[in-house]
Amino acid sequence: MCLAIPGKLLSREEETGIVDLGGISQSISLIFTPEVKIGDWVIIHTGFALNIITESDARKTIELLQEVYGKE
Amino acid sequence: MAKSDLVRIKYLIEDLWQWKKPVRIMEVCGSHTMVIGKYGIRSLLPPSIELISGPGCPVCVTPASFIDALLTLKNVTIATFGDLIRVPGINGTLEQARAAGLDVRIVYSPLEALKIASTRETVFAGIGFETTIPGIAHTLLEAQRLKLHNFSVLPAFKTIPPALKALLSTDNIAIDGFILPGHVSVITGSAAYQFLVDDFHTGGVIAGFEPITLLQTIKDIISQLKRGIPMIENAYKEVVSIQGNIPAQNIIRKVLQPEDAYWRGLGKIPASGLGIKEEFAQFNAIRKYDLQITETEMPSGCRCGDVLKGFIKPPQCPLFATTCHPAHPLGPCMVSSEGSCAAYYKYER
Ligand code: SF4
């Protein structure tokens, strides 16, 4: 249950951001990644961005997660 | 899979098969347990390298008395992560209680529980390791800022480094190296594990989740053993830093403090939990409802404790796949899909 999944930050208002999670928009807290900018990729856990990652790492992770957890 | 990946896998496996001395490597992350099972990584390794699944799943190590404490609550709404809903206490599961009329709501984020609390008395089931804890601590701060009087958290937070320390201090334990968790370490940073080397002369590598990365990680641990120089290495630098997430660590320190905690299967581990500070006592469900979380006896015959310490493999438990299986878990290691016994049941039977 400690899994964090990548999403792309679409917009932000102070400490709240909207991310794109595979086509679904989700509101998240940016309290732990105050430096994040619109267009950045973050890894998200229970509605909180935990760190900023590169787009290529994000895409690799999404693919892997779909494989490991997707077809349950 | 790219040809270059196949070549690398072949090279890694050939290299690992050169290793002849028996060693035991433990992973302490439920997602690693899943990837190891799903990709059959054990079957690629020589008999000399044994992988054991330690206490890597917060759901599995949450004591039954935590669930039972939630089940005693009357006239409240219980907000919980979905992972917890099927976990058995002695007196049943939250799912069963919901069917019998208890208002149990699954939330994705602890902040959603605050919304529920704006209209009704709400208790949030606070479980998790370092990855999850900061978000819940922040939620407590928000509850204070919003002056919410009908919100509280039942804390059963657990932290990984003290658990590793307790494992390595166990008599007759034989762990030669750790595959260290990816997303827990995003918060703690790699420096949090240096004590493994300094105090226990045991190394570890923080790993991501790709099967190739895990093979590479195992090779890195073997290389440390070959050289006889244990160290903490970070093979997940794209996400994990040395110092970890400082804002998250600060929020934890502000709201929570270390306390002894009960781990299902491992018993009481000193300073391995985080309790709510006195300053925030009004949001502490233990205080608000006079609840108790105690050590729970393991179901008779369940050997989950021995599984988590690597003394036995899940199939060596006489109840494995006979009376204990994922649809009807008897012991904690079978309750979540990331539990050691559940992963074995699914992938390695
Ligand atoms: S198979 Fe079930 S009863 Fe046996 S150790 Fe695992 S969880 Fe416990």
Side-chain angles (χ1 to χ4, degrees):
Chain A
M1 73 162 273
C2 303
L3 203 63
I5 57 170
K8 185 178 182 175
L9 190 67
L10 300 175
S11 65
R12 75 174 286 177
E13 205 168 302
E14 296 182 7
E15 275 149 7
T16 303
I18 303 289
V19 283
D20 173 27
L21 280 181
I24 300 164
S25 296
Q26 171 103 38
S27 164
I28 60 161
S29 167
L30 306 174
I31 193 95
F32 304 133
T33 53
E35 71 280 27
V36 65
K37 292 189 293 295
I38 291 167
D40 282 349
W41 286 79
V42 287
I43 54 162
I44 302 153
H45 175 74
T46 66
F48 292 83
L50 299 186
N51 208 349
I52 300 167
I53 56 172
T54 66
E55 173 161 1
S56 75
D57 284 331
R59 293 203 186 280
K60 262 199 319 207
T61 307
I62 291 170
E63 225 174 88
L64 175 75
L65 293 180
Q66 271 165 356
E67 235 183 88
V68 179
Y69 289 90
K71 301 164 202 144
E72 294 286 295
Chain B
M1 188 177 286
K3 188 161 178 231
S4 59
D5 284 347
L6 286 174
V7 172
R8 195 169 144 218
I9 291 173
K10 183 168 174 283
Y11 156 76
L12 284 168
I13 294 173
E14 279 172 3
D15 191 85
L16 287 168
W17 273 78
Q18 305 293 318
W19 180 259
K20 301 288 180 243
K21 191 176 153 224
V23 291
R24 291 147 58 87
I25 296 172
M26 176 180 274
E27 92 272 359
V28 278
C29 163
S31 305
H32 286 157
T33 304
M34 294 271 289
V35 173
I36 288 168
K38 176 135 187 167
Y39 291 91
I41 288 184
R42 272 189 196 87
S43 66
L44 302 176
L45 300 176
S48 56
I49 302 177
E50 195 184 330
L51 295 185
I52 44 184
S53 300
C57 160
V59 177
C60 301
V61 296
T62 297
S65 60
F66 177 83
I67 304 293
D68 290 319
L70 289 170
L71 297 180
T72 62
L73 296 171
K74 302 270 179 306
N75 303 321
V76 302
T77 295
I78 293 171
T80 175
F81 296 131
D83 307 68
L84 204 61
I85 186 126
R86 286 181 47 238
V87 178
I90 305 289
N91 301 320
T93 65
L94 286 170
E95 194 173 46
Q96 289 159 347
R98 180 167 67 178
L102 185 68
D103 188 10
V104 178
R105 303 191 187 190
I106 294 177
V107 292
Y108 161 69
S109 163
L111 289 169
E112 288 171 36
L114 291 184
K115 290 196 196 113
I116 301 173
S118 63
T119 55
R120 43 174 59 79
E121 186 70 41
T122 304
V123 176
F124 180 75
I127 67 159
F129 290 155
E130 287 90 335
T131 327
T132 316
I133 296 169
I136 304 176
H138 172 71
T139 303
L140 278 167
L141 279 179
E142 278 296 289
Q144 190 188 48
R145 187 179 66 81
L146 297 167
K147 299 195 172 60
L148 275 182
H149 294 296
N150 46 3
F151 175 77
S152 60
V153 171
L154 183 62
F157 306 126
K158 302 214 163 33
T159 51
I160 288 287
L164 301 185
K165 185 175 173 192
L167 276 172
L168 288 175
S169 309
T170 307
D171 287 344
N172 302 321
I173 200 101
I175 300 170
D176 300 288
F178 286 101
I179 300 173
L180 293 166
H183 292 146
V184 161
S185 307
V186 175
I187 304 298
T188 63
S190 57
Y193 304 104
Q194 188 55 37
F195 74 96
L196 293 172
V197 175
D198 298 345
D199 302 345
F200 296 97
H201 204 69
T202 303
V205 180
I206 297 171
F209 300 94
E210 280 177 90
I212 297 189
T213 320
L214 279 171
L215 274 178
Q216 176 69 47
T217 299
I218 296 165
K219 177 178 164 349
D220 293 343
I221 295 172
I222 295 293
S223 301
Q224 290 187 17
L225 293 168
K226 266 186 204 159
R227 293 194 303 268
I229 305 175
M231 53 203 278
I232 302 304
E233 291 179 84
N234 183 359
Y236 199 31
K237 286 204 180 75
E238 57 271 35
V239 178
V240 175
S241 63
I242 296 172
Q243 77 281 7
N245 187 314
I246 303 289
Q249 292 170 11
N250 287 342
I251 285 193
I252 292 179
R253 260 194 294 273
K254 183 163 188 182
V255 181
L256 308 172
Q257 63 193 12
E259 62 178 27
D260 299 349
Y262 293 105
W263 294 59
R264 245 205 238 204
L266 297 178
K268 186 174 175 175
I269 302 180
S272 66
L274 288 167
I276 297 172
K277 280 188 173 171
E278 193 57 36
E279 212 183 316
F280 300 91
Q282 70 178 110
F283 303 108
N284 186 347
I286 293 187
R287 296 284 279 274
K288 195 167 185 178
Y289 302 103
D290 196 18
L291 300 173
Q292 266 187 359
I293 298 176
T294 53
E295 185 156 16
T296 326
E297 269 184 44
M298 297 289 281
S300 133
C302 172
R303 301 200 48 201
C304 193
D306 289 337
V307 170
L308 295 180
K309 292 176 200 142
F311 290 143
I312 65 163
K313 289 204 163 59
Q316 287 168 270
C317 166
L319 306 182
F320 179 83
T322 54
T323 47
C324 181
H325 42 85
H328 182 254
L330 282 181
C333 300
M334 194 65 96
V335 295
S336 126
S337 56
E338 296 185 349
S340 324
C341 293
Y344 244 90
Y345 185 94
K346 184 158 181 195
Y347 298 118
E348 298 185 61
R349 233 168 7 119

